[in-house]
Structures are given as structure tokens and as C-alpha cells.
Amino acid sequence: MGDVFRKVERKGSSSVKWDYHVQGDQVPFTIADSDYASPKCILNALTKRVKAGHFGYSKNGDDYLEAIKNWYHKKHACEIQSKWVLPTSNVLTACKIALESIGYRGDRVIIMPPVYSSFYNLLENLERKIVCCDLINDNEKYRIDFVKLEELFKRGNHILLLCSPHNPVGRVWRRDELEKLSELCAKYSVTIISDEIHSDFILGSNKFISMLEFNEVHRQLYVLSAPTKTFSLAGLLSAYLIVPDENNRNSCQKTLTRNCCSVVNILAATATKEAYTNPEAFEWVQKQNEHILKNYQTVKEYLAKYLPEAKLPEQEGTYVLWLNLKCLDKSSAEIVDLLAKGGVLVNSGKSYGADYDGYIRWCVACSQKQLKEGLKRFVRVLGAGKKR
Ligand SMILES: Cc1ncc(COP(=O)(O)O)c(C=O)c1O
């Protein structure tokens, strides 16, 4: 298994993570972008398609839509119809499309910090007003603040951008939590945009529940997802919206057409179909989750040994870890800077929410060797709990 998740050389490959962020011999644990190769069956399918030697106009036909439907069935035991699926380039585009189909500039959109930093940029660029309903942090166990959420709904905030599983705190929302959420949204006519891009990274005995399971309770639902994080394919660009309601879907399709972004390119579509239908790719995902869990445990062991005051939530899903380093009495910016000087790149907690100074985010979708090198450097810079 270690072999499967060995590091591939990414320097010199136009990688955002390795060619645009790194200086000298720094090791990056920043962008949620894995540092090992895609499954062999996908590489073979791509090679075969490249060998065909032509890349003319193509369409995402029934086989492509069926592949996504079958993945939701096989991976998540969730039944969807292939006609609900609308292809597009990436999840942030899908989110833009959903927002533009639902409403207008000036709309208030609820998010739950600490949350994926690009949600802030996207909403600001689209001139939406960000309304925060921070997660409740109960000693690094995060949960939804339903009381505050209901107050916000009562005050007329009618769009919720959900991150499920939640980047960066690693929560996999349970069925009872999502059921409560969908009932509350139905009661106040709140539209849910559920970003499920991390849904294939589910650790241990946790189970991913798609918001689509509550589609009968609440029809105002837009689910966004992609095979890109799961299978190391982000540079190819492949994503989709799943919109069960016909009127909403038609409106989304019009917005996609108006924005000229309603097609997944031929190589991305080839990779997506292979990823979602080949049993080898399915098994690879299971192994990847075991590998991520092992990496999480390695980080936990290092922290317990060298920086026991640091706090780390139980990791239920995703491949990003959320470290509370408030014990160091430093800002996130100072910690990020110290680590960068010591050869390790991580994300500042503050980019996920104003109140998260002293936190950092660490992506562990890498080989054990790379992780341990990063941890060795981390310990050299911040270890033994010293206040510097
Ligand atoms: C929750 C979440 N949504 C969306 C994205 C971006 O997806 P895409 O590259 O398909 O726009 C990320 C990437 O880190 C993410 O973590």
C-alpha cells in the first residue's frame, strides 16, 4: 500500500502547490491536492484515449451521466437519476452557477466557519453578503449551531452553503444532524448548496450521508461534487451539480449555457468514467482512506510526543487536518512564517475564519515519507511545546 501512495515528482509540472508556493527545499502541506499518482486504471484509460490521436468536440453522453449515478449508488448507497446531473469544470464554478441560478448580487449566504477559504473569495467576487454561523467548538469537537442557524433563517437569510464533509475540521455530518438541517431549511424555505467534494474521504467506521437523501423533505437543493480530489485529477477539471428539482435544474442549465461552462473536456470525462466504473478505482479509494487514516495517526503520535498541548479533532473525513496551536501563544501568521523558514508550508487558520488565529491546516494526502519529513521539521521548529 505504501508503494501505491508514494510521492510523484511534481516540481516542474506547473503545479500550483509545488511550482508556485515552494521555495528551495520547502515541503508543502498546503493545497488540498494529493502528492501521489492517480490509480493505474485511470492512467491507462487516459493513455488509450490520447493514443486515439484526436480531440475534436465531444459531448458528455449518457455513459458519463450513468457513471456518476452509479458512483453515488455504489459508493454512498444514494439513489439519484442521471438526468439530475449537470457537468461543469470544477466545484467552485458549480457553486457560482448554483448561486446565480438561485438569486442575485447582494444575496445573503450563510457559511459555517471555520470553512474552506475560497468560499469567502467566491462569495465576495460574486458580491454576495457573507453571513457566518460559526460551528460550535466543544474542545475540538465541532458541531452545527442549530439555535443560531434558526435565528438567521428567521431573519430572512435564505441560502445556506454547506460543506459536507467539512473542510477544514474533518467532520462527516451524521444522518441525524443532516435530517435536522434539512427539516429546518424546509421550514424556513432555505435553499441548500451542499459541497460534497470530500465525500469519498471517509475514515474508519464513519459513513457519508449525501444531502440528496433528504431530497423528498427539501427540494430546494443543489449538490456539488467531483472526482478530482478523490483520484488526484484536479488539473484535468471535472465536476458536476446534482439538482433533483426540474425547475431548478432547468434554471441551472440556462446559467451554465450562459456562462459557456456546461461541458467536461474529453480527457477529464474519460478519467471520470473510468474512476467511477472500474472496480480497481473503487478499491484504490478504500486503500487511500486507510492511508489517510494512517497519516492522521502519525501526526497524532508526533503531537502527543513532541507538542502534547496541541489539539487535533478526531478525524472523521477529508484529508486536511485542523491543528489548534494556541498553546504556542502565537498568531497563525507567525506560526506559518516560522514553519516556512524551517522548510514546511501549511495554511493559516485565519483564512478559514476570523476567530481561528493560532490554528493551522495541514493536508496529509502524501506519502508517509513526505509526511514524516514535514513532521520532523515541524518538531524542530515548534516541538517540546516551547513558547518562543
Ligand atoms: C470544500 C471544497 N470545495 C471546493 C474545492 C475546490 O474544488 P474545485 O477545484 O473543483 O473548484 C475545494 C478544494 O480544496 C474544497 O475543499
Side-chain angles (χ1 to χ4, degrees), residues 147-163:
V147 174
K148 171 133 193 234
L149 202 58
E150 184 159 12
E151 272 170 31
L152 292 173
F153 291 173
K154 277 186 190 160
R155 279 192 247 141
N157 297 286
H158 65 272
I159 304 171
L160 171 66
L161 176 51
L162 179 72
C163 195

Side-chain angles (χ1 to χ4, degrees), residues 89-138:
S89 55
N90 59 335
V91 164
L92 286 176
T93 302
C95 191
K96 171 186 187 286
I97 296 298
L99 287 164
E100 288 182 350
S101 307
I102 296 162
Y104 306 93
R105 280 186 212 157
D107 277 349
R108 294 188 299 259
V109 180
I110 302 173
I111 55 170
M112 297 180 186
V115 75
Y116 176 46
S117 48
S118 294
F119 281 180
Y120 296 90
N121 307 335
L122 181 76
L123 293 172
E124 277 161 17
N125 290 338
L126 294 175
E127 297 177 48
R128 267 42 176 190
K129 292 203 177 87
I130 298 173
V131 179
C132 290
C133 183
D134 284 52
L135 296 175
I136 294 172
N137 177 5
D138 198 354

Side-chain angles (χ1 to χ4, degrees), residues 31-32 89-93 116 119 163 165 167 195 197-198 226 228-229 234 237-239 361:
I31 305 187
S89 55
N90 59 335
V91 164
L92 286 176
T93 302
Y116 176 46
F119 281 180
C163 195
N167 168 10
D195 178 341
I197 195 170
H198 290 278
T228 45
K229 292 214 186 291
L237 298 178
S238 174
R361 194 191 75 164

Side-chain angles (χ1 to χ4, degrees), residues 5-6 39 97 161 186 207 226 279 284 306 364 377:
F5 302 106
R6 69 180 177 278
I97 296 298
L161 176 51
K207 188 174 171 357
W284 186 93
Y306 299 106
V364 294
R377 295 177 187 199

